[in-house]
C-alpha cells in the first residue's frame, strides 16, 4: 500500500515537473485526478487485503481478480465522466496521464500479488 502511494506521488511529481517545463492544458489537473484515483484505491485495497489475509487467506486470488476488474470499471467510469464534462481539447492529455497512473497501479498490484503468492 505504501509502495503504491509512493509510486503515485512520484508520478505526480513527474507530471508537475513536465508541466513546469512544457505547460500543457489539463496536465496538472489530470495528474491530480490520477493520483487521487490511485491513492484512494490503494488505501481501500490495502485495508481490505489486510483483513482478508487475516480471516480468509484462501480467497486472496479471488480478491485479486475482483480488484483488477473493479479497478478497470472504475477507471472507465472516471474517463467517461471526464469525457462527458469537458471539451475535446484536453481529453487526450487527460486520458494519457490518467492511463499512466492506472498502468503503474496495475503493474504494482500484479507484481505485489505475484510475490505474495510465491511466498505461500
Amino acid at each position: 500500500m505504501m509502495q503504491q502511494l509512493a509510486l503515485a506521488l512520484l508520478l505526480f511529481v513527474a507530471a508537475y515537473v513536465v508541466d513546469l517545463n512544457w505547460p500543457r492544458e489539463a496536465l496538472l489537473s489530470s495528474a491530480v485526478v490520477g493520483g487521487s484515483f490511485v491513492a484512494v484505491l490503494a488505501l481501500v485495497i490495502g485495508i481490505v487485503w489486510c483483513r482478508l489475509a487475516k480471516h480468509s487467506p484462501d480467497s486472496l486470488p479471488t480478491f485479486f481478480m475482483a480488484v483488477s476488474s473493479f479497478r478497470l470499471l472504475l477507471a472507465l467510469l472516471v474517463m467517461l465522466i471526464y469525457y462527458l464534462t469537458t471539451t475535446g481539447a484536453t481529453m487526450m492529455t487527460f486520458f494519457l496521464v490518467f492511463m499512466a497512473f492506472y498502468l503503474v497501479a496495475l503493474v504494482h498490484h500484479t507484481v505485489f500479488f505475484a510475490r505474495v503468492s510465491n511466498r505461500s
Side-chain angles (χ1 to χ4, degrees):
M1 177 171 67
M2 295 305 291
Q3 293 171 349
Q4 196 161 23
L5 292 174
L7 286 172
L9 182 61
L10 183 68
L11 275 177
F12 180 78
V13 169
Y16 181 72
V17 168
V18 168
D19 189 57
L20 286 177
N21 293 320
W22 302 285
R24 301 194 57 73
E25 291 183 37
L27 182 68
L28 212 49
S29 61
S30 303
V32 168
V33 172
S36 300
F37 177 82
V38 170
V40 168
L41 275 179
L43 290 172
V44 170
I45 291 168
I47 291 169
V48 174
W49 181 279
C50 289
R51 289 185 181 174
L52 196 59
K54 287 180 185 176
H55 300 333
S56 181
D58 293 337
S59 61
L60 287 178
T62 305
F63 177 72
F64 171 74
M65 293 303 293
V67 164
S68 297
S69 301
F70 177 73
R71 182 187 298 115
L72 174 65
L73 292 175
L74 194 58
L76 289 173
L77 179 66
V78 168
M79 289 190 295
L80 176 67
I81 290 170
Y82 190 86
Y83 173 76
L84 294 174
T85 59
T86 62
T87 62
T90 61
M91 204 172 312
M92 187 57 79
T93 303
F94 175 79
F95 287 159
L96 291 174
V97 172
F98 184 77
M99 288 311 296
F101 278 91
Y102 173 80
L103 290 175
V104 165
L106 183 66
V107 168
H108 176 267
H109 187 76
T110 303
V111 169
F112 173 79
F113 184 75
R115 287 186 179 168
V116 168
S117 295
N118 288 338
R119 277 191 237 158
S120 302

